[in-house]
Amino acid sequence: MLKAWRLWCLGSGGTPVTLRMLRKGRGGGSGGGLCGARRVSTSWSPVGAAFNVKAQPARKELFGERRGLFGVPELSSPEGFHVAQEKALRQTESLVESACATPPGPQTVCIFDQLSDALCKVADLADFVKIAHPDPAYREAAEDACRNIGTMVEKLNTNVELYQSLQKLLSDENLVASLDPETRKVAELFMFDFEISGIHLDEEKRKRAVDLNVKILDLSSTFIVQAHFPNKIDKCLLPEHILYNFVHDGDHALVSSLHAESSDDLVREVAYKVFLYPNSDQLNCLDELLSSRDHLAKLVGYSTFAHRALQGTIAKSPEIVTQFLEKLSEKLSERTIKDFDMMKEMKMKLNPQNSTLMPWDHPYYSGAIRAERYNIEPSLYCPFFSLGACMEGLNLLFRQLLGISLYVEQPEKGEVWCEDVRKLAVVHETEGLLGYIYCDFFQRADKPHQDCHFTIRGGRLKENGEYQLPVVVLMLNLPHSTSIAPPLLTPGMLENLFHEMGHAMHSMLGRTRYQHVTGTRCPTDFAEVPSILMEYFASDYRVVNQFAKHYQTGQALPKNMVSRLCESKKICAAADMQLQVFYATLDQIYHGKHPLKKSTTDILKETQEKFYGLPYVPNTAWQLRFSHLVGYGAKYYSYLMSRAVASMVWKECFMQDPFSRVMGERYRREMLAHGGGKEPMLMVQGMLQKSLSIEDFVGALVSDLDMDFETYFMDS
């Protein structure tokens, strides 16, 4: 999952967080901070051993000097955020003056990118700190910095003179023709972000656009908060024997989730009906949010919000997305029916009194079938997946594919926010230091329970000719080492580690001239391709065999255990994918033609029955818990499309030899190197060396569902 600030400075393709969930450095100076000269460190150490032992205390500095978070001197205390933001705001004002005074040309784009960089180097860092730092004072200061930077962005979005300086460039055909493709693309992205704010409209319409943007921001915030509120029910209305499953609040039971993994059918049913019971305020909030998005899209020249949101993506238009989803649904239909039949049989076996399959049954009974057929017990795999071994496995893979090695570097005092954060230097065999990855991998109190990639600083070519090195954070929630064992990962944790490291490599190798399009700052339906591709590597025995050794005996993980694990994921996978098609289709309809012909709940019911297959439950409104409507509005399809691309890249480029340096270099050259500075479909076609149709995307997803019959029959 990627995290990125939704600022105009990040570009129209800036990816919010991950479907999985979601969330997408400079300088590389002394200690890897955000300023100073690039260097090679003598303090690097092998990556594997460093992650299997407790972190050493930060290096002592003379007189106890603290360097500040990420090596930023100002951030040695929470108050430093104010200093950093004031410095950025002063720099921004100076750059605005330069942009308006500079004759139109390539330098105009460079100045705009410097503006983007000045704001993002504070906003991106603060966006991470406000949710991840254990010190409330730091979190509060970072939140305040985000608000202040946001205020400046609003001013820039409505600065007509600044807009006109870019318009002069893009309206001159000769000047545009003289720009290289990346510069032209970045200029167009800046212009796209300007026009979303309605700056090209007359004064009255421009004010309406600004007001709508503010309203959408407020409604989005309210919707997300309320999407996670628990619902309550009188305890007397519930059977006494299931009350212990829920938190109590006086005479009420609080239901804060779907309890999808509960083995008790009644608990799941109660949780589903109570948690999804419609809330009138949330219904109104969603209606207003969808309506406001539609009004804004029409105001700035688009027929629907979906048409605006899909500009520059692989899909390009909602019409293509709809075709993709409908054809995928058609191809999944028979497989999905078979999956539901298997679930019904399992439910009848475990609960003969009520064998009707309902929406609250899908997650539980598909898991029960996997457990019965393959007996995948995570604890049997954990001893083979020590964190250090997994990190060394990634290191070996990157070295073979890309000529890249990972080294652990001891952070300076005050550089990290928790002593168990590890700092990795990413080093190419001939190009040297490429950037830094801070690994915030371990569980701690008040840490968000999500796996994310955060851009702290984007790469760019600086005015003095040096390259500003990227800095990112990978945040996971892994167990700590114990007195008798290193941190041990479940297969799911291993897959998540590889997934997030795919985002990190995209950030390290998306070495664009402009930070506006660096690394993961690219269209949403492309941003997840590198991370999902890494999941295929994590499932290949040839890759896993390089590192999966029992932490006590050194025994290699047996091949049949890897095969069974991979095949178990295909059990009921068609039904799982069909559910995603339903969600993505619902998202497209909500952001399509307005006014909507029916209520959002009636649309939900109709879409569920057509694209899912399990019945709608009266008096429920699942859409009110669909928080992805905020960050991924009209883009929920992206995960399916990214997986289709990753599948094609794996099968056609890496399945024959997952260590191919030739393919690794092609992958870097065609897909990773451009960030968001090139049309995504051109990158995909360059990698696969052919044009693609909707049928190719659909076929890739469906073929992933085919069982390996050798493994299947062996286990049967």
Side-chain angles (χ1 to χ4, degrees), residues 96 99-100 108 112 156-170 190-195 198-201 206:
V96 169
C100 295
T108 304
F112 268 77
L156 294 175
N157 283 340
T158 56
N159 188 320
V160 176
E161 190 178 2
L162 184 64
Y163 161 71
Q164 289 172 343
S165 69
L166 186 63
Q167 186 186 42
K168 288 175 186 175
L169 169 63
L170 290 175
F190 278 123
M191 180 57 74
F192 177 81
D193 292 327
F194 261 130
E195 293 183 346
I199 200 166
H200 58 301
L201 305 173
R206 187 162 65 242

Side-chain angles (χ1 to χ4, degrees), residues 8 26 50 52-53 57 268 353 537 544 562 577 635 659 664 699:
W8 69 276
R26 307 164 186 174
N52 271 357
V53 298
R268 295 196 311 278
Q353 291 78 23
F537 284 99
V544 174
V562 177
M577 193 178 291
K635 295 181 181 180
F659 310 113

Side-chain angles (χ1 to χ4, degrees), residues 487-627:
L488 301 177
L489 278 58
T490 65
M493 292 174 183
L494 169 70
E495 186 175 274
N496 288 354
L497 172 63
F498 270 63
H499 179 99
E500 298 303 334
M501 194 60 79
H503 286 311
M505 282 300 112
H506 198 181
S507 289
M508 295 297 110
L509 295 173
R511 294 172 71 80
T512 53
R513 188 186 320 174
Y514 304 102
Q515 80 88 37
H516 193 64
V517 291
T518 186
T520 59
R521 288 174 179 163
C522 57
T524 311
D525 56 5
F526 183 80
E528 290 291 331
V529 172
S531 53
I532 295 174
L533 179 61
M534 286 299 296
E535 296 176 25
Y536 287 89
F537 284 99
S539 299
D540 188 279
Y541 180 72
R542 294 163 295 180
V543 175
V544 174
N545 189 50
Q546 287 199 123
F547 66 88
K549 306 290 190 293
H550 197 288
Y551 78 97
Q552 290 175 314
T553 67
Q555 174 195 355
L557 180 67
K559 183 176 181 179
N560 74 308
M561 287 182 68
V562 177
S563 300
R564 290 169 62 230
L565 181 64
C566 293
E567 293 307 296
S568 73
K569 296 176 185 177
K570 299 177 183 178
I571 296 294
C572 299
D576 295 341
M577 193 178 291
Q578 189 74 59
L579 183 61
Q580 294 302 311
V581 172
F582 158 46
Y583 294 161
T585 304
L586 186 69
D587 175 41
Q588 287 299 305
I589 295 171
Y590 283 167
H591 291 102
K593 189 175 180 180
H594 276 245
L596 297 174
K597 295 179 180 179
K598 300 179 180 179
S599 71
T600 57
T601 303
D602 286 340
I603 291 171
L604 169 78
K605 178 178 183 295
E606 186 177 278
T607 309
Q608 180 170 332
E609 290 170 352
K610 181 178 179 181
F611 285 94
Y612 184 29
L614 295 185
Y616 166 76
V617 179
N619 296 315
T620 62
W622 178 85
Q623 77 276 18
L624 303 185
R625 302 292 184 178
F626 193 10
S627 57

